[in-house]
Amino acid sequence: STLLLDKTGTITLGNRQASEFVPVKGTTEAELADAAQLSSLADETPEGRSIVVLAKEKYGLRERHQGELAHAEWIAFTAQTRMSGVDVDGRKTRKGAAGSVITWVKEQGGQVSDDADLLANRISEAGGTPLLVAVNDGKGARVLGVIHLKDVVKEGMRERFDELRRMGIKTVMITGDNPLTAKAIAAEAGVDDFLAEATPEDKMALIKREQAGGKLVAMTGDGTNDAPALAQADVGVAMNTGTSAAKEAGNMVDLDSNPTKLIEIVEIGKQLLITRGALTTFSIANDVAKYFAIIPAMFAVVYPGLDKLNIMGLASPESAILSAVVFNALIIIALVPLALKGVRYKPTSADKMLRRNLGLYGVGGLIAPFVGIKLIDLLISLIPGIG
């Protein structure tokens, strides 16, 4: 089985915030802050809002609104472009994922300075998310600097993913971050693999590829762009803090918005299956043993050879049948607590689990009737007229 987890809000706390503006050589922090704020006005994501707030609080820039700029063409942030910005007064400003902004700068005929890549890589390697800010004006297309977004991995995630791994479930983190940031977060969280710079189409392709390989795929997410993947997965779990689209697309909603609750979902499901299998195994083995008491009692008179099946040496046909009936009534009562409580699930491989259940409930189901019926027969044989 494979579990796909959206990073932001699922593995991490989800409140990524802009922490600093890092300009390239030849650009001032004030110039970078102004361009970052302007290009984020069309970005309604929490990250975009945090950039506007940082520019206001740290650099004293008044918070502007789209309506203040006449004749401006706004470019809203989308999961496909991974970039937002504005074109106004002959100046184009863009802010977004490093790869998207670098591609835009080159398409505009500009060049990306080496220190821009260096700054972005440094932030990525530290587990942060770098967003590049670029402009195209009278001086040409160029990168002004990098915005550092900080995120925090939820506490206890590594231990929970280790537990999923012991269950035989592969975990894959899905994120729109660049590969360096994704690698750092994945290593910190302890997931098995990651998909970086993922678009909704990439998520769908990954799910279909895993399903084509015969695997059951579960997906967790909280955003509108997660909805198609949640619908495609065999099990889609939407976070309660997510959008309406995500909740409607998923099979279930996690009210605590805690993806590690999937471990409990898996444990409960496996416990139900194990309990059902254990009771079925015990019941079949139990019935086989009881036939050694009932068949000789019923047919030994007609077929004397069947008396050889009376390996328990029961006193008489009457006591044999009565002992089997009494034992059956008692064993049903004894199994009720097990059925209600369930067999405790321990993370282990399927073959070890099968051997354990066959040994405990299969062999136990064979031995218990022989011992129980014989003891009951000894007591019944003391009753006058039956023994």
Side-chain angles (χ1 to χ4, degrees), residues 70-224:
H71 310 297
E73 181 181 350
W74 299 95
I75 291 84
F77 178 87
T78 67
Q80 287 74 27
T81 63
R82 296 162 52 234
M83 186 170 59
S84 66
V86 60
D87 297 344
V88 61
D89 297 332
R91 175 185 168 104
K92 298 180 178 180
T93 309
R94 296 290 186 275
K95 175 270 308 175
S100 300
V101 174
I102 289 174
T103 299
W104 179 82
V105 169
K106 292 180 178 179
E107 288 175 351
Q108 298 293 313
Q111 295 293 326
V112 179
S113 59
D114 292 336
D115 56 337
D117 283 333
L118 183 63
L119 291 172
N121 289 340
R122 187 183 302 163
I123 292 172
S124 297
E125 290 169 355
T129 301
L131 298 180
L132 266 57
V133 179
V135 297
N136 185 7
D137 52 17
K139 298 180 182 179
R142 63 195 186 281
V143 174
L144 297 180
V146 185
I147 304 169
H148 184 179
L149 295 181
K150 283 187 176 180
D151 205 352
V152 180
V153 174
K154 292 180 179 179
E155 186 177 354
M157 294 300 291
R158 175 174 286 277
E159 291 76 12
R160 300 295 264 176
F161 287 140
D162 288 342
E163 192 171 345
L164 282 171
R165 195 174 296 110
R166 288 194 295 271
M167 292 180 183
I169 298 175
K170 175 186 176 183
T171 53
V172 181
M173 181 186 78
I174 299 178
T175 176
D177 292 333
N178 64 70
L180 285 175
T181 300
K183 183 179 180 180
I185 295 292
E188 183 180 353
V191 296
D192 298 314
D193 201 358
F194 64 89
L195 177 64
E197 297 181 339
T199 63
E201 293 78 13
D202 293 332
K203 298 177 186 179
M204 289 285 287
L206 177 59
I207 292 174
K208 290 179 180 179
R209 188 163 59 248
E210 292 288 325
Q211 289 174 332
K215 295 182 179 179
L216 288 175
V217 180
M219 167 79 185
T220 67
D222 62 348
T224 300

Side-chain angles (χ1 to χ4, degrees), residues 5 9-11 154-157 160 220 237-241 253-265:
L5 304 106
T10 306
I11 292 177
K154 292 180 179 179
E155 186 177 354
M157 294 300 291
R160 300 295 264 176
T220 67
V237 182
M239 301 295 105
N240 192 39
T241 55
V253 177
D254 181 0
L255 297 179
D256 293 334
S257 298
N258 181 0
T260 60
K261 281 294 185 67
L262 279 171
I263 296 176
E264 296 178 18
I265 295 174

